[in-house]
Amino acid sequence: MPVKALTTTSVARNGVGAFILQCKRLDFHYCDWAGSSKGMNQFLTHTLPAFTTLSPTTEIHISPRPRAHPIIRAHYIAPTPSSPSTFSPQSLSSSANTVTKAVCVRNLSKEQILRKAELLRDGNAAKNRRVKGGRVVRSENEGVRGVWSPMHGVGSPLEGMGWNG
């Protein structure tokens, strides 16, 4: 009886082979009149040209937003994880495959706005989650040594019984 090989398909993962930056577009909205946009206006005139040269793959859109607080809106790609074989570069431009995040930057300085823009550019479309105490590193596989217990090892109550775990 001949031996048959298993047929498996590889799953595309970001960072293996080529890295695709998740942020495709940053929208900067500002107001010329409001005082809360003072830092945004300084950022747009002084810091934004250097920021755009550092991130050539990200589109930058600047638009006025009269009588409103300034915001930065990031547009991320979000390919469907169920069908990695149907991924194509044309699907990146459609609005069905994008996720947006918006951050209000009212009354912030241009350095703080730069940090927010870098945070949005380098981030991804996943929602922010709070890391609670306890086991921070989660894994599907248990550790090789098992779960630690105070009842095992040197100085445990079971040591005198001839059993050292």
Side-chain angles (χ1 to χ4, degrees), residues 1 8 26 56 108 136-138 144:
M1 182 168 10
T8 60
L26 286 173
L108 295 181
V136 178
V137 178
R138 304 214 191 286
V144 177

Side-chain angles (χ1 to χ4, degrees), residues 87-107:
F87 178 76
S88 66
Q90 290 80 19
S91 66
L92 298 179
S93 61
S94 68
S95 63
N97 290 334
T98 59
V99 177
T100 60
K101 279 186 183 180
V103 175
C104 182
V105 290
R106 70 170 184 244
N107 298 326

Side-chain angles (χ1 to χ4, degrees), residues 38-49:
K38 186 170 114 178
M40 177 63 95
N41 291 334
Q42 290 176 353
F43 172 80
L44 294 176
T45 56
H46 297 96
T47 315
L48 187 64

Side-chain angles (χ1 to χ4, degrees), residues 121-152:
R121 179 198 63 196
D122 298 337
N124 58 10
K127 290 191 175 192
N128 294 334
R129 294 181 297 174
R130 182 177 179 212
V131 178
K132 295 183 180 178
R135 252 183 111 164
V136 178
V137 178
R138 304 214 191 286
S139 174
E140 294 176 4
N141 303 325
E142 285 295 324
V144 177
R145 298 176 65 190
V147 180
W148 179 83
S149 172
M151 300 302 285
H152 303 102

Side-chain angles (χ1 to χ4, degrees), residues 1 19 21 34 36 43 46 60 66-67 97 105 126 156 164:
M1 182 168 10
F19 180 75
L21 193 64
S36 63
F43 172 80
H46 297 96
I60 305 292
R67 296 177 299 279
N97 290 334
V105 290
S156 71
N164 289 334

Side-chain angles (χ1 to χ4, degrees), residues 57-131:
T57 60
T58 306
E59 292 181 38
I60 305 292
H61 290 237
I62 302 168
S63 63
R65 191 173 173 224
R67 296 177 299 279
H69 292 301
I71 62 168
I72 303 173
R73 183 173 287 128
H75 299 269
Y76 300 98
I77 59 171
T80 56
S82 61
S83 59
S85 61
T86 60
F87 178 76
S88 66
Q90 290 80 19
S91 66
L92 298 179
S93 61
S94 68
S95 63
N97 290 334
T98 59
V99 177
T100 60
K101 279 186 183 180
V103 175
C104 182
V105 290
R106 70 170 184 244
N107 298 326
L108 295 181
S109 66
K110 64 180 180 179
E111 293 83 14
Q112 292 171 325
I113 293 174
L114 176 64
R115 283 198 296 266
K116 294 287 184 185
E118 288 172 346
L119 182 79
L120 288 172
R121 179 198 63 196
D122 298 337
N124 58 10
K127 290 191 175 192
N128 294 334
R129 294 181 297 174
R130 182 177 179 212
V131 178

